[in-house]
Amino acid sequence: MKFLTAAAIATLAFAQPALARDVTVDVTAIVEHPALDAVRDGVKDALGEAGFKVGENLTFNYESAQGNPGTAAQIARQFIGNGPDIIVPISTPSAQAVVSATRDIPIVFSAVTDPVGAQLVKQLQKPGGNVTGLSDLSPVADHVALIKEILPSVKTIGVLFNPGETNSVTLVELLKKYGAEQGIAVVESAATRSSEVQNAARALAGRVDAIYVPTDNTIVSALESAVTVAIESKLPLFTADTDSVSRGAVAALGFNYYDVGKQTGAIVVRILNGEKPGDIDINVAAGTDLVINPGAAEKVGLTLPKSVVDRATKVIQ
Amino acid sequence: MSQIAFLGAVELGLVFSFVAIGVYLAFRILDFPDLTVDGSFPLGAAVAAVLIIAGWNPWLATAIAMAAGAAAGLVTATLNVKFRILNLLASILTMIALFSVNLRVMGKPNVALINQDTMLTPFFGHGLSEFYVRPLFIGVLVIIAVFLVWRFLASDLGLAMRATGANPRMARAQGVNTSLHIYLGMALSNALVALGGSLFAQTNGFADVTSGVGTIVVGLAAVIIGETLFHSRLILWALVGCVIGSVLYRIAIQLALSSDILGLKASDLNLVTAVLVACALILPRLRRGRAAA
């Protein structure tokens, strides 16, 4: 502990130009998953662009907890024992495990929806202590607006989510709030594992005008089940995860998780260059992509309005 | 492996040794294959976390978490004893029901405890690093639990419970109320597992509804490793074996995490666990085979 404190102080006090020393960055995520893996790759590439290159002056360790919080706790101890310059936990449980285990090593979390609710920090501005990071709170209000723009007659939105995922529960609450403001009712349908996604989607057929999938690990990993049901029942499927559009969603407005990783990496670089984590404000990741799939829209008897097509960042053919 | 990683593995091993003792009581003493633990572990974490956040004394919160675990065990026992549902199936029913119950208890899937005072808070900041305080504190609780369970199993009541598991017909013929002992044993087993869950939440700063996944495998692995090391018929050694087995299991995982030499990655953990348990099961047979030859 003592030598760690000393090391941390030394790191901060003798911050040197980026290229002058070797650094170690340890990254962990709760589970291997396309979005979370993209964050990891973004962090690594951002470090590379700033002159910290693997094999030259950067040691980059990555461990996944395989979905098990017990393993996440052990990975946290493992990293702290290694004494890296910075730890980057991706996702809420991984971040909680790391934050509760050290008060010395700088931590830059990523892909956490509600950092204050998860008690990673006390406030978003100037968090203090050794923790900062990036939130990936989805722009749910914009999602509701997009659905209304594509489907002006929408009265009811069905949401597919896993009630066991803390980020999804936050997002569903927001969806209900913004939906109510627009006079749109929200019907919840829960799936606690990927094999239940198809049934959960079927439960929405005939009761809703559109299906919405938040950034939910369980639903996104079984998206094809939901897409099949959506096409059968002629319901447009909207997602918050842009990678899902090429898998059959009609449209998505969301983060490119590789960019989220790069923005997280930029914070890591600032700390490596001498800034204190406690002085760096926590922001919601910047930049959202609008990805559309006109073919998928056609399958459910829908034509995407020109206004949406014109501002799409990517069109899946 | 660094010292902190080693102490972390010992700490987690000690936390899970409550699970191992609980699993030992159900599987070995009562001969009741009980999967309730996958639900009662996060239940203990959830109840303790929610009560601590509501301002309750952490010791009292932990005691109530144990009572909640005991109640879960009683539900499984009732389904089995009263309604004659197969023991394994009864425990699976309780386990899946507890997923919903845990979400209700917490009101959301994840409750954070990072800034709350826990059972361990008073012991921090007295000169000893937290990395030592945590395993020491939990170690003391483990010693107390092992002693109490050992004395219980040596008492008249405990002997009757062991008879219930070993030979229920014989036990009934001797006037033992076997149903009562299944209720009692399942309550005790799941109370210990819930204690493990509440300690996990308090040492790691969060209760998460997914933290029960695979609890039964970890508990069984610990029991089997312990039995392989101390193949003794004495209860005390079996209980000590649970604790040592649980710690060794975590050290093995830590090795898998830190061994760049072996080329193992975290994604190989499930395979490592399976190989470890399989070895622990096969080794005694080989030894017996050689002795016979």
PDB file of all heavy atoms in Angstrom, chain A residues 13 43 54 66 79-80 93-94 105 110-111 128 146-147 192 196 218 227 232 269 277 285 290 298 308 316:
ATOM      1  N   ALA A  13       3.994  13.613  -9.561  1.00  0.00           N
ATOM      2  CA  ALA A  13       4.938  14.688  -9.317  1.00  0.00           C
ATOM      3  C   ALA A  13       5.957  14.794 -10.452  1.00  0.00           C
ATOM      4  O   ALA A  13       6.350  15.889 -10.830  1.00  0.00           O
ATOM      5  CB  ALA A  13       5.637  14.477  -7.990  1.00  0.00           C
ATOM      6  N   VAL A  43      -9.347   2.434 -27.004  1.00  0.00           N
ATOM      7  CA  VAL A  43      -8.405   2.916 -25.992  1.00  0.00           C
ATOM      8  C   VAL A  43      -6.980   2.660 -26.473  1.00  0.00           C
ATOM      9  O   VAL A  43      -6.111   3.540 -26.441  1.00  0.00           O
ATOM     10  CB  VAL A  43      -8.652   2.214 -24.636  1.00  0.00           C
ATOM     11  CG1 VAL A  43      -7.532   2.522 -23.656  1.00  0.00           C
ATOM     12  CG2 VAL A  43      -9.996   2.625 -24.054  1.00  0.00           C
ATOM     13  N   VAL A  54       2.311  -0.288 -28.196  1.00  0.00           N
ATOM     14  CA  VAL A  54       2.543  -1.626 -27.652  1.00  0.00           C
ATOM     15  C   VAL A  54       3.823  -2.178 -28.257  1.00  0.00           C
ATOM     16  O   VAL A  54       4.062  -2.076 -29.459  1.00  0.00           O
ATOM     17  CB  VAL A  54       1.350  -2.555 -27.982  1.00  0.00           C
ATOM     18  CG1 VAL A  54       1.626  -3.972 -27.492  1.00  0.00           C
ATOM     19  CG2 VAL A  54       0.080  -2.015 -27.369  1.00  0.00           C
ATOM     20  N   GLN A  66     -15.523 -12.782 -17.949  1.00  0.00           N
ATOM     21  CA  GLN A  66     -16.411 -13.858 -18.413  1.00  0.00           C
ATOM     22  C   GLN A  66     -17.796 -13.761 -17.777  1.00  0.00           C
ATOM     23  O   GLN A  66     -18.414 -14.772 -17.462  1.00  0.00           O
ATOM     24  CB  GLN A  66     -15.807 -15.233 -18.077  1.00  0.00           C
ATOM     25  CG  GLN A  66     -14.422 -15.459 -18.621  1.00  0.00           C
ATOM     26  CD  GLN A  66     -14.425 -15.518 -20.129  1.00  0.00           C
ATOM     27  OE1 GLN A  66     -15.069 -16.368 -20.703  1.00  0.00           O
ATOM     28  NE2 GLN A  66     -13.758 -14.584 -20.777  1.00  0.00           N
ATOM     29  N   PHE A  79      -4.716  -6.597 -11.060  1.00  0.00           N
ATOM     30  CA  PHE A  79      -4.206  -5.370 -11.670  1.00  0.00           C
ATOM     31  C   PHE A  79      -3.554  -4.483 -10.625  1.00  0.00           C
ATOM     32  O   PHE A  79      -2.486  -3.926 -10.847  1.00  0.00           O
ATOM     33  CB  PHE A  79      -5.354  -4.617 -12.355  1.00  0.00           C
ATOM     34  CG  PHE A  79      -5.749  -5.191 -13.692  1.00  0.00           C
ATOM     35  CD1 PHE A  79      -6.795  -4.645 -14.417  1.00  0.00           C
ATOM     36  CD2 PHE A  79      -5.065  -6.268 -14.242  1.00  0.00           C
ATOM     37  CE1 PHE A  79      -7.160  -5.158 -15.655  1.00  0.00           C
ATOM     38  CE2 PHE A  79      -5.420  -6.799 -15.477  1.00  0.00           C
ATOM     39  CZ  PHE A  79      -6.473  -6.240 -16.175  1.00  0.00           C
ATOM     40  N   ILE A  80      -4.219  -4.341  -9.468  1.00  0.00           N
ATOM     41  CA  ILE A  80      -3.686  -3.447  -8.453  1.00  0.00           C
ATOM     42  C   ILE A  80      -2.336  -3.956  -7.970  1.00  0.00           C
ATOM     43  O   ILE A  80      -1.411  -3.191  -7.735  1.00  0.00           O
ATOM     44  CB  ILE A  80      -4.712  -3.282  -7.315  1.00  0.00           C
ATOM     45  CG1 ILE A  80      -5.880  -2.467  -7.846  1.00  0.00           C
ATOM     46  CG2 ILE A  80      -4.099  -2.610  -6.097  1.00  0.00           C
ATOM     47  CD1 ILE A  80      -7.163  -2.690  -7.108  1.00  0.00           C
ATOM     48  N   PRO A  93     -20.060  -3.251 -13.369  1.00  0.00           N
ATOM     49  CA  PRO A  93     -19.525  -4.117 -12.306  1.00  0.00           C
ATOM     50  C   PRO A  93     -17.992  -4.154 -12.266  1.00  0.00           C
ATOM     51  O   PRO A  93     -17.399  -4.143 -11.186  1.00  0.00           O
ATOM     52  CB  PRO A  93     -20.081  -5.507 -12.651  1.00  0.00           C
ATOM     53  CG  PRO A  93     -21.113  -5.307 -13.683  1.00  0.00           C
ATOM     54  CD  PRO A  93     -20.908  -3.984 -14.318  1.00  0.00           C
ATOM     55  N   SER A  94     -17.352  -4.146 -13.437  1.00  0.00           N
ATOM     56  CA  SER A  94     -15.891  -4.127 -13.469  1.00  0.00           C
ATOM     57  C   SER A  94     -15.366  -2.858 -12.816  1.00  0.00           C
ATOM     58  O   SER A  94     -14.397  -2.893 -12.051  1.00  0.00           O
ATOM     59  CB  SER A  94     -15.378  -4.197 -14.917  1.00  0.00           C
ATOM     60  OG  SER A  94     -15.528  -5.489 -15.417  1.00  0.00           O
ATOM     61  N   ILE A 105      -4.274   4.107  -7.361  1.00  0.00           N
ATOM     62  CA  ILE A 105      -3.986   4.009  -8.791  1.00  0.00           C
ATOM     63  C   ILE A 105      -5.068   4.751  -9.581  1.00  0.00           C
ATOM     64  O   ILE A 105      -6.256   4.567  -9.324  1.00  0.00           O
ATOM     65  CB  ILE A 105      -3.921   2.529  -9.209  1.00  0.00           C
ATOM     66  CG1 ILE A 105      -2.814   1.834  -8.434  1.00  0.00           C
ATOM     67  CG2 ILE A 105      -3.713   2.391 -10.713  1.00  0.00           C
ATOM     68  CD1 ILE A 105      -2.733   0.344  -8.665  1.00  0.00           C
ATOM     69  N   SER A 110     -15.050   3.315 -18.433  1.00  0.00           N
ATOM     70  CA  SER A 110     -15.729   3.599 -19.695  1.00  0.00           C
ATOM     71  C   SER A 110     -16.986   2.750 -19.809  1.00  0.00           C
ATOM     72  O   SER A 110     -17.102   1.722 -19.143  1.00  0.00           O
ATOM     73  CB  SER A 110     -14.802   3.322 -20.869  1.00  0.00           C
ATOM     74  OG  SER A 110     -15.380   3.834 -22.051  1.00  0.00           O
ATOM     75  N   ALA A 111     -17.917   3.189 -20.680  1.00  0.00           N
ATOM     76  CA  ALA A 111     -19.158   2.466 -20.934  1.00  0.00           C
ATOM     77  C   ALA A 111     -19.955   2.222 -19.651  1.00  0.00           C
ATOM     78  O   ALA A 111     -20.487   1.154 -19.420  1.00  0.00           O
ATOM     79  CB  ALA A 111     -18.911   1.151 -21.667  1.00  0.00           C
ATOM     80  N   GLY A 128     -12.714  14.449  -8.036  1.00  0.00           N
ATOM     81  CA  GLY A 128     -11.808  14.278  -6.903  1.00  0.00           C
ATOM     82  C   GLY A 128     -11.323  12.843  -6.810  1.00  0.00           C
ATOM     83  O   GLY A 128     -11.810  11.965  -7.521  1.00  0.00           O
ATOM     84  N   LEU A 146     -36.567  10.255 -33.096  1.00  0.00           N
ATOM     85  CA  LEU A 146     -36.291   9.578 -34.369  1.00  0.00           C
ATOM     86  C   LEU A 146     -37.416   8.611 -34.731  1.00  0.00           C
ATOM     87  O   LEU A 146     -37.873   8.574 -35.885  1.00  0.00           O
ATOM     88  CB  LEU A 146     -34.962   8.826 -34.274  1.00  0.00           C
ATOM     89  CG  LEU A 146     -34.570   8.034 -35.529  1.00  0.00           C
ATOM     90  CD1 LEU A 146     -34.164   8.975 -36.656  1.00  0.00           C
ATOM     91  CD2 LEU A 146     -33.438   7.054 -35.232  1.00  0.00           C
ATOM     92  N   ILE A 147     -37.882   7.855 -33.729  1.00  0.00           N
ATOM     93  CA  ILE A 147     -38.968   6.905 -33.992  1.00  0.00           C
ATOM     94  C   ILE A 147     -40.209   7.655 -34.455  1.00  0.00           C
ATOM     95  O   ILE A 147     -40.887   7.270 -35.412  1.00  0.00           O
ATOM     96  CB  ILE A 147     -39.266   6.052 -32.726  1.00  0.00           C
ATOM     97  CG1 ILE A 147     -38.052   5.190 -32.387  1.00  0.00           C
ATOM     98  CG2 ILE A 147     -40.507   5.186 -32.936  1.00  0.00           C
ATOM     99  CD1 ILE A 147     -38.159   4.420 -31.085  1.00  0.00           C
ATOM    100  N   THR A 192     -34.351 -12.546 -19.654  1.00  0.00           N
ATOM    101  CA  THR A 192     -33.186 -12.568 -18.775  1.00  0.00           C
ATOM    102  C   THR A 192     -32.021 -13.331 -19.385  1.00  0.00           C
ATOM    103  O   THR A 192     -30.927 -13.290 -18.862  1.00  0.00           O
ATOM    104  CB  THR A 192     -33.516 -13.176 -17.398  1.00  0.00           C
ATOM    105  OG1 THR A 192     -34.117 -14.446 -17.612  1.00  0.00           O
ATOM    106  CG2 THR A 192     -34.486 -12.297 -16.630  1.00  0.00           C
ATOM    107  N   GLU A 196     -34.422 -16.369 -24.336  1.00  0.00           N
ATOM    108  CA  GLU A 196     -35.784 -15.893 -24.080  1.00  0.00           C
ATOM    109  C   GLU A 196     -36.168 -14.701 -24.964  1.00  0.00           C
ATOM    110  O   GLU A 196     -37.299 -14.210 -24.890  1.00  0.00           O
ATOM    111  CB  GLU A 196     -35.922 -15.467 -22.610  1.00  0.00           C
ATOM    112  CG  GLU A 196     -35.777 -16.614 -21.635  1.00  0.00           C
ATOM    113  CD  GLU A 196     -35.682 -16.127 -20.195  1.00  0.00           C
ATOM    114  OE1 GLU A 196     -35.837 -14.914 -19.946  1.00  0.00           O
ATOM    115  OE2 GLU A 196     -35.430 -16.967 -19.325  1.00  0.00           O
ATOM    116  N   THR A 218     -27.767  -8.594 -23.327  1.00  0.00           N
ATOM    117  CA  THR A 218     -28.490  -9.842 -23.568  1.00  0.00           C
ATOM    118  C   THR A 218     -29.272  -9.783 -24.869  1.00  0.00           C
ATOM    119  O   THR A 218     -29.195 -10.696 -25.692  1.00  0.00           O
ATOM    120  CB  THR A 218     -29.458 -10.110 -22.397  1.00  0.00           C
ATOM    121  OG1 THR A 218     -28.736  -9.960 -21.180  1.00  0.00           O
ATOM    122  CG2 THR A 218     -30.051 -11.490 -22.480  1.00  0.00           C
ATOM    123  N   VAL A 227     -35.309  -9.711 -34.583  1.00  0.00           N
ATOM    124  CA  VAL A 227     -35.520  -9.263 -35.968  1.00  0.00           C
ATOM    125  C   VAL A 227     -36.521 -10.183 -36.670  1.00  0.00           C
ATOM    126  O   VAL A 227     -37.442  -9.708 -37.351  1.00  0.00           O
ATOM    127  CB  VAL A 227     -34.172  -9.225 -36.722  1.00  0.00           C
ATOM    128  CG1 VAL A 227     -34.395  -9.017 -38.216  1.00  0.00           C
ATOM    129  CG2 VAL A 227     -33.277  -8.125 -36.171  1.00  0.00           C
ATOM    130  N   GLU A 232     -41.925 -10.899 -39.097  1.00  0.00           N
ATOM    131  CA  GLU A 232     -43.168 -11.684 -39.084  1.00  0.00           C
ATOM    132  C   GLU A 232     -44.376 -10.801 -38.787  1.00  0.00           C
ATOM    133  O   GLU A 232     -45.425 -10.909 -39.410  1.00  0.00           O
ATOM    134  CB  GLU A 232     -43.128 -12.722 -37.967  1.00  0.00           C
ATOM    135  CG  GLU A 232     -42.533 -14.064 -38.327  1.00  0.00           C
ATOM    136  CD  GLU A 232     -42.335 -14.899 -37.066  1.00  0.00           C
ATOM    137  OE1 GLU A 232     -42.989 -14.623 -36.025  1.00  0.00           O
ATOM    138  OE2 GLU A 232     -41.511 -15.801 -37.145  1.00  0.00           O
ATOM    139  N   VAL A 269      -4.549   9.365 -21.803  1.00  0.00           N
ATOM    140  CA  VAL A 269      -3.340  10.084 -22.223  1.00  0.00           C
ATOM    141  C   VAL A 269      -3.146  11.349 -21.383  1.00  0.00           C
ATOM    142  O   VAL A 269      -2.029  11.651 -20.947  1.00  0.00           O
ATOM    143  CB  VAL A 269      -3.427  10.420 -23.733  1.00  0.00           C
ATOM    144  CG1 VAL A 269      -2.310  11.384 -24.138  1.00  0.00           C
ATOM    145  CG2 VAL A 269      -3.362   9.141 -24.555  1.00  0.00           C
ATOM    146  N   PRO A 277      -6.579  12.644 -12.130  1.00  0.00           N
ATOM    147  CA  PRO A 277      -7.916  12.142 -12.499  1.00  0.00           C
ATOM    148  C   PRO A 277      -9.028  12.938 -11.819  1.00  0.00           C
ATOM    149  O   PRO A 277     -10.071  13.212 -12.427  1.00  0.00           O
ATOM    150  CB  PRO A 277      -7.914  10.685 -12.033  1.00  0.00           C
ATOM    151  CG  PRO A 277      -6.615  10.436 -11.367  1.00  0.00           C
ATOM    152  CD  PRO A 277      -5.701  11.588 -11.614  1.00  0.00           C
ATOM    153  N   ALA A 285     -20.134  10.461 -23.585  1.00  0.00           N
ATOM    154  CA  ALA A 285     -19.365  10.340 -24.820  1.00  0.00           C
ATOM    155  C   ALA A 285     -19.972  11.218 -25.908  1.00  0.00           C
ATOM    156  O   ALA A 285     -21.189  11.337 -26.020  1.00  0.00           O
ATOM    157  CB  ALA A 285     -19.334   8.880 -25.265  1.00  0.00           C
ATOM    158  N   LEU A 290     -26.068   8.079 -36.959  1.00  0.00           N
ATOM    159  CA  LEU A 290     -27.381   7.602 -37.382  1.00  0.00           C
ATOM    160  C   LEU A 290     -27.152   6.594 -38.501  1.00  0.00           C
ATOM    161  O   LEU A 290     -26.629   6.935 -39.553  1.00  0.00           O
ATOM    162  CB  LEU A 290     -28.248   8.770 -37.879  1.00  0.00           C
ATOM    163  CG  LEU A 290     -29.580   8.367 -38.515  1.00  0.00           C
ATOM    164  CD1 LEU A 290     -30.474   7.658 -37.508  1.00  0.00           C
ATOM    165  CD2 LEU A 290     -30.299   9.588 -39.069  1.00  0.00           C
ATOM    166  N   GLU A 298     -38.207  -1.789 -45.688  1.00  0.00           N
ATOM    167  CA  GLU A 298     -39.106  -2.288 -46.724  1.00  0.00           C
ATOM    168  C   GLU A 298     -39.792  -3.577 -46.286  1.00  0.00           C
ATOM    169  O   GLU A 298     -40.982  -3.779 -46.534  1.00  0.00           O
ATOM    170  CB  GLU A 298     -38.292  -2.544 -47.983  1.00  0.00           C
ATOM    171  CG  GLU A 298     -39.031  -2.295 -49.289  1.00  0.00           C
ATOM    172  CD  GLU A 298     -38.055  -2.357 -50.451  1.00  0.00           C
ATOM    173  OE1 GLU A 298     -37.295  -1.383 -50.652  1.00  0.00           O
ATOM    174  OE2 GLU A 298     -38.029  -3.406 -51.105  1.00  0.00           O
ATOM    175  N   VAL A 308     -34.570  11.729 -42.929  1.00  0.00           N
ATOM    176  CA  VAL A 308     -33.741  10.788 -42.163  1.00  0.00           C
ATOM    177  C   VAL A 308     -32.625  10.234 -43.044  1.00  0.00           C
ATOM    178  O   VAL A 308     -31.460  10.188 -42.639  1.00  0.00           O
ATOM    179  CB  VAL A 308     -34.615   9.644 -41.602  1.00  0.00           C
ATOM    180  CG1 VAL A 308     -33.753   8.559 -40.969  1.00  0.00           C
ATOM    181  CG2 VAL A 308     -35.607  10.194 -40.592  1.00  0.00           C
ATOM    182  N   ILE A 316     -27.032   1.048 -44.688  1.00  0.00           N
ATOM    183  CA  ILE A 316     -26.768  -0.371 -44.938  1.00  0.00           C
ATOM    184  C   ILE A 316     -27.633  -0.808 -46.113  1.00  0.00           C
ATOM    185  O   ILE A 316     -28.852  -0.612 -46.090  1.00  0.00           O
ATOM    186  CB  ILE A 316     -27.125  -1.227 -43.695  1.00  0.00           C
ATOM    187  CG1 ILE A 316     -26.467  -0.668 -42.438  1.00  0.00           C
ATOM    188  CG2 ILE A 316     -26.817  -2.701 -43.931  1.00  0.00           C
ATOM    189  CD1 ILE A 316     -25.044  -1.034 -42.216  1.00  0.00           C
TER     190      ILE A 316
END
